Amino acid sequence: MVIAVAMILGMFHLLIIAKYFPLFAHYGEQQWDVFMRNFHMSGFDPTGYAVLTHWHQGYDVVRHPLLALMQLPLYGLNRLLWWITGCNCCQMIMGALLLTAGTTAWLMLFRTLNEHLALPRRHALLLSALAFGFAYVLLATFVPDHFGLSLALLTTLLYIASGKLRHRQTFTSTEATLWFLVTAGVTLSNGVAVFLMVWVVNGHGVWHPSRLWRTFVVPALLLLAVVVVVGLTADPVERAVSSPIDKQLGWVRGDVSRLDATVENFLGESLQLHRRHILGDVLTQRPVIVRYTWPMQYVVEGVIMALFFMGVWMGRRDRLLWMVLAVMAFNVTLHVVIGFAIDEVYIMAAHWAWGLPVGMAYVWHDNHRALRLTATLLVIVIAAYLWTYHSVLLYRYLTWPVKM
């Protein structure tokens, strides 16, 4: 089963590698310029390729304080392979990393549904397939950005935390600290997700001053120290142009309709791509709000959310669900209420969209056989539609010739 998932996800890796490999095989500055003119994958950045090619602090250190450092060994591996083969192998190395992360994320979600929510294997498989049919969950598994790593970390933590809830165990301070450092080191907002999960599992004891200090405050200060050190070593001209705080505030927008952004982007584009301006970037030619051309796509969006809210109501007394809802509520607050990155909020789906099938799972705990059967048929149809729709669109998009 895991091999089958890896093979399916691997097909998308082969497509993106094949598309750009001629530009990396005999690498040079000119090839990178051609690559950047052709790489249009929504708001995703190919920073992973750049860091593995010529290691540097390519990521925004405030939001990804340890990510470049984590990839330093992979850069060393790429230099070794480059010396042996004569070509830049960053695509293959990043592809292997993301394929491992994507397969791990799928397995952790499946095991959470099957083992900790007591769903039969066929229903756990179905909901896992639905989750990875979501547009920006699927994209995160092969686009060379950091979201695939966050997806793997968060779903693995979900599996561990739900297991602790099931067996009435708690996170030790060491466990919580390590999870906080690694996940927040990849993406700072993940640290909040770790805190929320630990809080639900460990209870209010997590707020005890001494425990809070050594588990979360000290690690957060360490990450802040990394940010300060890297900031001091940055180009003085770059520091003068924009401070780290100003850069983050630049991501907050208040001029975007929250209703439109929620319907078309947060719950729309995140789950199913728009055909118009497909994978366009709002920094170039894509409007912030794009409408679906097929009205039935709004029905699909509505059915997904109806199943989710139905499951939430049925599982409202379960602490595992509280934990998932807490993480999702944080993302809603950050992106929709505050407006951080709201103009391309869909690229953040890997941070929260895995919670939708977890919420839906409680529908299958209901005693009414007709309801369970109806939900099963709806999920089968929607999952088949999403996988077919996205596979066709992505195949066409990734096989479009590169413009030299």
Side-chain angles (χ1 to χ4, degrees):
M1 182 173 60
V2 173
I3 295 176
V5 172
M7 290 178 64
I8 293 170
L9 297 180
M11 293 301 296
F12 293 97
H13 284 276
L14 289 176
L15 288 173
I16 195 170
I17 290 173
K19 183 179 179 70
Y20 299 114
F21 182 70
L23 301 177
F24 287 97
H26 303 288
Y27 180 77
E29 185 176 343
Q30 182 179 358
Q31 282 81 1
W32 180 261
D33 292 339
V34 175
F35 168 70
M36 288 303 295
R37 287 199 298 270
N38 283 274
F39 185 88
H40 302 290
M41 299 293 290
S42 191
F44 293 116
D45 297 316
T47 311
Y49 288 166
V51 171
L52 295 190
T53 299
H54 299 293
W55 190 87
H56 62 292
Q57 181 56 58
Y59 300 96
D60 184 342
V61 70
V62 175
R63 288 184 289 131
H64 316 290
L66 300 181
L67 187 51
L69 290 173
M70 292 176 180
Q71 294 180 2
L72 185 56
L74 297 180
Y75 163 74
L77 175 60
N78 186 39
R79 297 307 299 186
L80 175 62
L81 294 176
W82 202 336
W83 177 70
I84 294 173
T85 65
C87 70
N88 183 3
C89 299
C90 69
Q91 282 189 285
M92 280 67 78
I93 295 174
M94 182 57 66
L97 175 64
L98 292 177
L99 180 58
T100 301
T103 305
T104 299
W106 183 91
L107 179 61
M108 292 299 102
L109 179 59
F110 167 77
R111 293 185 65 179
T112 299
L113 295 169
N114 181 229
E115 298 175 17
H116 300 152
L117 280 167
L119 283 187
R121 285 175 62 88
R122 63 183 183 277
H123 291 144
L125 280 170
L126 179 58
L127 287 175
S128 300
L130 175 68
F132 280 76
F134 293 155
Y136 281 76
V137 173
L138 178 58
L139 283 165
T141 65
F142 66 87
V143 175
D145 210 325
H146 64 275
F147 293 98
L149 302 179
S150 292
L151 178 65
L153 288 169
L154 292 173
T155 50
T156 300
L157 182 58
L158 169 69
Y159 174 73
I160 293 172
S162 57
K164 289 183 179 294
L165 284 173
R166 181 183 180 190
H167 299 293
R168 297 185 179 181
Q169 299 172 344
T170 57
F171 284 98
T172 66
S173 295
T174 302
E175 287 176 326
T177 300
L178 289 175
W179 272 106
F180 180 84
L181 279 173
V182 173
T183 57
V186 171
T187 298
L188 198 61
S189 60
N190 288 348
V192 179
V194 173
F195 176 78
L196 293 171
M197 290 190 185
V198 173
W199 182 10
V200 173
V201 173
N202 288 19
H204 294 302
V206 74
W207 290 98
H208 189 277
S210 63
R211 191 172 302 165
L212 184 65
W213 177 261
R214 69 173 180 267
T215 305
F216 295 105
V217 176
V218 170
L221 291 175
L222 290 175
L223 294 178
L224 178 61
V226 172
V227 172
V228 172
V229 170
V230 173
L232 291 175
T233 58
D235 186 341
V237 175
E238 183 180 345
R239 292 204 307 266
V241 170
S242 179
S243 71
I245 299 300
D246 290 336
K247 287 177 65 177
Q248 306 316 309
L249 291 177
W251 282 78
V252 178
R253 290 188 56 172
D255 59 339
V256 178
S257 166
R258 295 304 193 263
L259 178 59
D260 285 340
T262 300
V263 173
E264 301 293 348
N265 293 344
F266 189 73
L267 300 178
E269 178 79 358
S270 296
L271 308 184
Q272 50 181 337
L273 295 172
H274 292 78
R275 285 183 294 173
R276 289 189 298 181
H277 301 283
I278 180 170
L279 296 180
D281 192 335
V282 295
L283 297 179
T284 54
Q285 296 181 343
R286 184 192 192 276
V288 173
I289 303 300
V290 178
R291 310 291 179 184
Y292 285 113
T293 57
W294 187 31
M296 187 58 66
Q297 290 178 289
Y298 292 105
V299 176
V300 170
E301 182 180 332
V303 171
I304 291 172
M305 298 314 301
L307 287 172
F308 171 70
F309 285 118
M310 187 183 303
V312 167
W313 176 254
M314 293 176 178
R316 62 191 182 278
R317 295 185 177 87
D318 193 338
R319 288 174 65 195
L320 193 163
L321 181 60
W322 300 352
M323 180 174 66
V324 172
L325 291 178
V327 175
M328 297 180 75
F330 164 69
N331 280 274
V332 171
T333 302
L334 177 64
H335 299 303
V336 178
V337 178
I338 297 176
F340 182 84
I342 192 171
D343 52 350
E344 53 180 15
V345 66
Y346 33 83
I347 71 171
M348 310 293 178
H351 295 159
W352 63 269
W354 44 266
L356 293 176
V358 176
M360 292 179 191
Y362 292 89
V363 173
W364 280 268
H365 291 179
D366 190 80
N367 292 324
H368 295 86
R369 184 174 180 275
L371 177 60
R372 298 199 306 271
L373 179 59
T374 302
T376 300
L377 293 175
L378 285 173
V379 173
I380 288 174
V381 171
I382 293 174
Y385 152 71
L386 289 176
W387 272 100
T388 303
Y389 177 68
H390 291 144
S391 296
V392 171
L393 289 180
L394 291 174
Y395 176 80
R396 290 176 177 173
Y397 191 83
L398 293 174
T399 54
W400 195 260
V402 170
K403 296 180 180 179
M404 303 301 290

